[in-house]
Amino acid sequence: MKKNMIITLTGIVITGVVIFYFVPFHGYVSSDKFSGFPIPKNAELTNETARARIYDWSKASEENGIPPGYKLVIKSQGWKEKEREGASTYYEKGDKKIDLISQTGELTLIKDKN
C-alpha cells in the first residue's frame, strides 16, 4: 500500500515537472530580427518598424507582466533580465539588448540601436 502511494506521488511529481519545464518551450519561436529572442507562436504581429514589433497577445498584461513560462523560456535561451520600469523590462544577451513591453493584450519588442 505504501509502495503504491510512493509510486503514484513520484509519477505526479515527474508529470508536474515535465509540464512546468518542457511544455512552455514548444509555444515560442526565436526571432532572427531580434537576435534570437523568443516570441510566442500565437502572438499576432500588428505593427512593425525597423527596430520594433508590436504583437496582439492575450497573455500579456500590464499589471502582471508576462507569464512565468515565457520568463522561463527567455532565461533558458540565455537572456538576462537587467532592468524593469513599469511595463517595460530590459533583457540582455552578450552585446544585444531587447526592451520587452507588456501591456494588456499587447506585447512590444524594441531592439537596441546597435
Side-chain angles (χ1 to χ4, degrees):
M1 178 89 164
K2 191 173 183 179
K3 185 177 180 179
N4 287 340
M5 183 179 272
I6 291 172
I7 292 172
T8 302
L9 287 175
T10 303
I12 290 170
V13 169
I14 291 172
T15 302
V17 168
V18 168
I19 289 171
F20 183 78
Y21 285 105
F22 297 110
V23 170
F25 293 97
H26 297 291
Y28 301 90
V29 294
S30 295
S31 170
D32 292 336
K33 183 174 180 174
F34 288 88
S35 306
F37 195 85
I39 297 172
K41 284 182 182 178
N42 61 349
E44 182 181 327
L45 182 65
T46 59
N47 198 354
E48 181 176 11
T49 67
R51 291 185 42 229
R53 284 187 176 170
I54 300 172
Y55 297 89
D56 275 342
W57 191 46
S58 63
K59 294 182 182 179
S61 168
E62 190 164 350
E63 297 81 18
N64 302 316
I66 58 175
Y70 190 19
K71 288 180 185 179
L72 181 65
V73 170
I74 292 169
K75 185 176 181 177
S76 72
Q77 292 190 12
W79 291 91
K80 293 183 170 76
E81 184 177 314
K82 289 298 179 180
E83 187 178 347
R84 183 177 287 196
E85 290 181 38
S88 179
T89 305
Y90 297 90
Y91 289 94
E92 200 173 90
K93 182 178 180 179
D95 63 344
K96 306 295 182 193
K97 296 177 185 173
I98 300 291
D99 181 10
L100 183 146
I101 302 168
S102 179
Q103 296 173 303
T104 304
E106 186 176 276
L107 190 69
T108 303
L109 296 177
I110 302 171
K111 66 180 178 177
D112 194 32
K113 294 177 186 177
N114 296 335

